[in-house]
Amino acid sequence: MNCDKEAVELMHKYLDKDMTTEDQAKLAQHLENCEDCQKHFHELKRTISFIKSAEQIEAPPDFTQKVMASLPTEKSGLNICAGLRFTQY
């Protein structure tokens, strides 16, 4: 099995609960023999657990308005030639 692609795809299918029994057996057999994939799979599972357990926060109602108000304003009527001197040769 190709650890870089096939095994990782199977790990994602497993975590998405979108896996056939045949693919599940392939992944299990591969994980028994591949320490690198075991570590990677463990980290994926830990990451998903962390994300699921993280507290969801909600932005304050005026968040967008405050961010937009803090952005610099556009200068209207930009004069490209302002401050330039032209001389004739």
Side-chain angles (χ1 to χ4, degrees):
M1 181 178 293
N2 181 345
C3 294
D4 293 336
K5 188 172 180 176
E6 188 178 358
V8 173
E9 282 182 26
L10 290 176
M11 290 178 206
H12 286 265
K13 283 184 175 185
Y14 175 86
L15 295 169
D16 291 339
K17 296 177 176 52
D18 183 29
M19 183 176 240
T20 65
T21 306
E22 180 184 334
D23 283 343
Q24 193 170 0
K26 271 190 200 176
L27 179 61
Q29 182 179 13
H30 180 75
L31 290 175
E32 285 179 19
N33 303 312
C34 184
E35 190 175 324
D36 288 340
C37 284
Q38 289 174 18
K39 289 177 184 176
H40 183 73
F41 190 54
H42 178 70
E43 287 301 315
L44 285 173
K45 288 169 59 174
R46 282 185 55 206
T47 302
I48 288 173
S49 294
F50 173 74
I51 291 170
K52 285 181 177 179
S53 69
E55 183 180 328
Q56 290 189 354
I57 59 170
E58 192 171 316
D62 59 347
F63 177 77
T64 302
Q65 182 182 2
K66 284 183 176 180
V67 169
M68 296 305 287
S70 70
L71 294 175
T73 57
E74 286 187 39
K75 293 182 181 179
S76 61
L78 182 62
N79 187 352
I80 294 173
C81 296
L84 296 177
R85 279 196 261 158
F86 294 97
T87 58
Q88 274 186 329
Y89 292 98

